Amino acid sequence: MDKFRMIFQFLQSNQESFLNGMCGILALASAQVYSAFEFACPCLPGYNLLYGLGILAVPPLVLFLLGFVLNNSVSALAEEWRRPAGQRAKDGAVLRYMFCSMGQRALIAPVVWLSVTLLDGKCFICAFSEGLDPRTLGTNMSGPLPAQPQLRRLLATVPCKDIFDPRAGLSREAAYRYLRCLSQALGWCFVLVMTFLAFLVRAMRPCFTQVAFLKTKYWSHYIDIERKLFEETCTEHAKSFAKVCIQQFFEGMQDEMTRGYSHYQPPRLSDTEVGEEQEKLFGITDCENMNKLLKNWHKCKPPLNVNTNTGAQQTSPASNIKLNNWTAPRRQNVVFYSKV
């Protein structure tokens, strides 16, 4: 149990690494799902294109949404976007940074799915076999081609070896290899473009101003951490509130509970425990005040200013430097003890 707790605390403290690992696992799972998926082209005119494009488009969209669902920052982004401004203004750059960070992680699994699908070629062959021009196959025709309706039906059966008619004057192997070659070429181009875009994002980021990037990164982390700390504080307050309420309930019912059992005394919290629980309540000891506090937190979050000495005299930067470098003289008291 302690090992699981240590792993959970490590994942909480390294959330970015944890999210990257989850996206990598999701990407590997997408490739494994595709390898285990039984692809069955309908081989019917009008259905091949819908089926092939559906396999190419729907699973990546599902994986993209799952990438957002598995990211805990989605709720923080939505909360920050929808909250009233109040005393704290909303920064659009921070919201865009949070969305882009989540989007980059969520795109890993769809990119892997599309790459594997195009390199395999089955979906592409099924989707575009009807639109194949037989003249592109050159000499791979053993006879005259049938009329247009029959030709379309014949081309729709190219992905299905069992029902293809080899006497129709068209080489299925040549058409299959041609479409698979196009699919693999498109797949490698897609991998090259995605890799080049990722390289540009990594390489060109230092070329822009780092001040704006550092500010948006800092405040995006602050929003996430503030939300977690507020939830933890609410949990501690609720726990302390419940302890105090239960203690007061049992103290009020002590006479009835001990009637007939004069030798029995119910367990009570010590004074130290009561003091600790009272401190965790922060002076909020009833339901109405707690509801008001939660409402104010949502509608009017406090400004980002931890300086409590707002009325103090402002000092110049030079004086601040002197104060930072100045050290007060230390008083040393020497005490002599003697044993007589």
Side-chain angles (χ1 to χ4, degrees), residues 66 88 158 329:
L66 282 177
R88 185 190 302 180
V158 168

Side-chain angles (χ1 to χ4, degrees), residues 92-109:
V94 176
L95 298 177
R96 289 191 297 270
Y97 175 83
M98 295 175 66
F99 180 79
C100 292
S101 298
M102 291 184 292
Q104 290 175 5
R105 293 188 179 96
L107 279 174
I108 297 177

Side-chain angles (χ1 to χ4, degrees), residues 193-205:
V193 169
M194 290 293 103
T195 306
F196 184 71
L197 288 178
F199 169 76
L200 286 181
V201 171
R202 290 289 186 179
M204 296 184 65
R205 178 180 292 176

